Amino acid sequence: MIEPYAYPLGAHHQHTLLALARARPGTVVIAPEGIARQAAAQLCQFQGQLLTGS
C-alpha cells in the first residue's frame, strides 16, 4: 500500500492503514512523507513492512 498521508498523528489515514494491515499480515506500506511513530509501532505488531521517504 502507498500512503502519502501516514505522518499526521491520529489521522483517519492511519486508522485505515492499520485496519488494512491488520486484515492482511505481511503488508508492505510505503509512506513517502514518513509515518507517525505510534502507527509504525502498531504496523510492526501486524508483521507489516514499512518503507519511508528520507
Side-chain angles (χ1 to χ4, degrees), residues 7-41:
Y7 60 90
L9 184 60
H12 73 275
H13 299 285
Q14 285 180 4
H15 298 294
T16 303
L17 174 71
L18 294 172
L20 290 170
R22 185 180 305 119
R24 181 76 177 182
T27 297
V28 175
V29 175
I30 300 170
E33 302 297 325
I35 188 168
R37 194 172 295 193
Q38 293 89 340

